[in-house]
Amino acid sequence: MFSQTVEYALRAIVHLADQSPNPCTTEQIAKATKVPQAYLSKVLQSLRQSNVVHSQRGIGGGISLIKMPAELNLLEVVNAVDPICRIKTCPLGLKGHGANLCPLHRKLDDAMKETETAFADTSLADILSASTSSYPLCNEPVDRVTTLEITPPTSSK
């Protein structure tokens, strides 16, 4: 349903949120997210152009989020790299349909609307604090507290 670019952008942004407010190099992000560095550079460029991330060259530089993780939602990230396209008029160009979508295209558009709403209502902080036994982008449980005072969940089994 989503492009590889969206998947890679979301991985990168989750990693940056986890490391926030500390900047990360493209190489660090690529290694942590298992995204090819050349592809990641292009994704990060789109995120910079959309004012989702900031980059600074030099010592102590790197890529960082422009907003705090609690203020940045998933929809902003998705729309920065591959916007969700809603169906506003008949995709077949049928004059009799116009903006009055048939049941199939209405259902498809409703699904896209629900996805938009779910992504708009989910911040990066929500992703990092979700109750789960698998912390984002990690193979092993992490024993630390981020700047958001979020501790990764541990298994109670």
Side-chain angles (χ1 to χ4, degrees):
M1 183 172 176
F2 297 105
S3 68
Q4 190 172 42
T5 301
V6 167
E7 168 74 19
Y8 287 173
L10 290 170
R11 286 189 212 172
I13 292 299
V14 168
H15 179 71
L16 288 170
D18 186 51
Q19 301 300 307
S20 184
N22 301 320
C24 297
T25 66
T26 304
E27 183 179 348
Q28 289 168 329
I29 300 167
K31 183 178 178 185
T33 61
K34 300 185 183 328
V35 175
Q37 191 169 340
Y39 198 142
L40 180 63
S41 293
K42 292 176 184 179
V43 171
L44 291 171
Q45 182 178 4
S46 295
L47 293 169
R48 275 193 300 273
Q49 291 170 345
S50 296
N51 293 316
V52 174
V53 299
H54 169 75
S55 64
Q56 183 168 336
R57 295 179 185 252
I59 297 173
I63 311 288
S64 57
L65 297 177
I66 288 180
K67 297 179 182 179
M68 295 297 295
E71 299 167 350
L72 181 61
N73 66 52
L74 297 182
L75 185 60
E76 292 174 82
V77 177
V78 171
N79 283 339
V81 296
D82 191 7
I84 295 172
C85 295
R86 299 283 305 276
I87 303 173
K88 296 180 179 154
T89 60
C90 177
L92 301 175
L94 300 175
K95 292 179 184 179
H97 290 195
N100 189 17
L101 301 178
C102 70
L104 172 63
H105 291 122
R106 170 62 47 217
K107 193 66 170 173
L108 291 172
D109 186 60
D110 289 346
M112 287 183 258
K113 180 180 180 181
E114 287 182 36
T115 300
E116 272 186 334
T117 300
F119 282 5
D121 292 344
T122 305
S123 73
L124 291 169
D126 295 334
I127 295 296
L128 294 175
S129 66
S131 180
T132 179
S133 61
S134 57
Y135 193 69
L137 305 176
C138 293
N139 287 328
E140 302 297 327
V142 180
D143 186 24
R144 63 175 162 61
V145 176
T146 69
T147 57
L148 295 174
E149 299 298 322
I150 298 171
T151 54
T154 56
S155 179
S156 59
K157 294 181 181 178

